[in-house]
Amino acid sequence: MFLFLLGCAVFFGLHLFSALRSRTPDKDIRAQWGEARYMGLYSLASLLGFGLMIWGYAQTPTGTLVYSGPHFIHHFAWVAMIPALILVMAAYMPRGHIKCALPHPMMTGVLIWALTHLGIGGGVKQIMLFGSFTAYSAVSLIQAYKRDPGNREAPVKINGDIMAVLIGLLLAGGLIHGGHQLAFGVPPI
């Protein structure tokens, strides 16, 4: 459990710092350090935290079931993962209608993923994992919209939307057809 908690502290601590840090040029650490240096160190530390989180999660016993959500949520979850995956993919694609409608699609997708998994239920480690992602993505989304509500008038290209939908559907199909069981040891339904 210690490695899991340490990984959560490092990963979410860095991401919360990034979400809450000053963006004014004279106080922005990213501007002071330079883009490459800041992003390099940030990425390495984030990967370390994420790796510790995964390793610690795998090492932590499942423990007692704290709660189990209503049965229908199990069926709802795999349907909700389709838009969640599409939104996460849209964050990495050229600006399309999805990014125009939701300027921060990754955090919206992560929030859907985390809330849905939290609704399914689980033991302490599952509640901590999905609860952490829920809390972080909600705070991050609020901060992101305060900083940048998005430019709805910027030009859009349908290519980004098409790629996000296709890759999101492929990922969802892969997870439903054995990928979730293989990667996480839990059947999706």
Side-chain angles (χ1 to χ4, degrees), residues 11 15 46 48 66 81-82 96 105 110 126 145-146 148 153 156 164 175 179 184 187:
F11 183 81
H15 282 76
S46 293
L48 173 69
V66 175
M81 290 307 97
I82 295 170
V110 170
Q126 289 87 1
Y145 276 104
K146 282 182 181 177
D148 174 27
E153 296 177 16
V156 297
L175 287 170
F184 309 110

Side-chain angles (χ1 to χ4, degrees), residues 7 15 18 24-25 40 42 44 47-48 51-52 66 79 107 122 126 135 147 154 156 159 166 177 185 187:
H15 282 76
S18 180
T24 58
Y42 182 86
L44 285 174
L47 283 172
L48 173 69
L52 286 170
V66 175
V79 174
M107 283 297 92
Q126 289 87 1
R147 279 191 317 272
V156 297
N159 302 11
L166 289 176
H177 294 288

Side-chain angles (χ1 to χ4, degrees), residues 54-134:
I54 292 169
W55 190 25
Y57 187 87
Q59 302 293 324
T60 303
T62 301
T64 311
L65 181 69
V66 175
Y67 75 95
S68 181
H71 186 70
F72 76 89
I73 294 210
H74 293 266
H75 299 288
F76 170 76
W78 70 266
V79 174
M81 290 307 97
I82 295 170
L85 289 166
I86 290 170
L87 289 172
V88 170
M89 291 300 103
Y92 296 100
M93 301 300 159
R95 182 177 167 81
H97 295 282
I98 295 171
K99 275 189 186 176
C100 188
L102 291 167
H104 307 286
M106 176 182 242
M107 283 297 92
T108 306
V110 170
L111 184 60
I112 292 168
W113 167 80
L115 275 172
T116 303
H117 281 77
L118 199 55
I120 289 171
V124 172
K125 75 177 192 176
Q126 289 87 1
I127 294 168
M128 289 174 64
L129 177 70
F130 298 118
S132 297
F133 272 102
T134 298

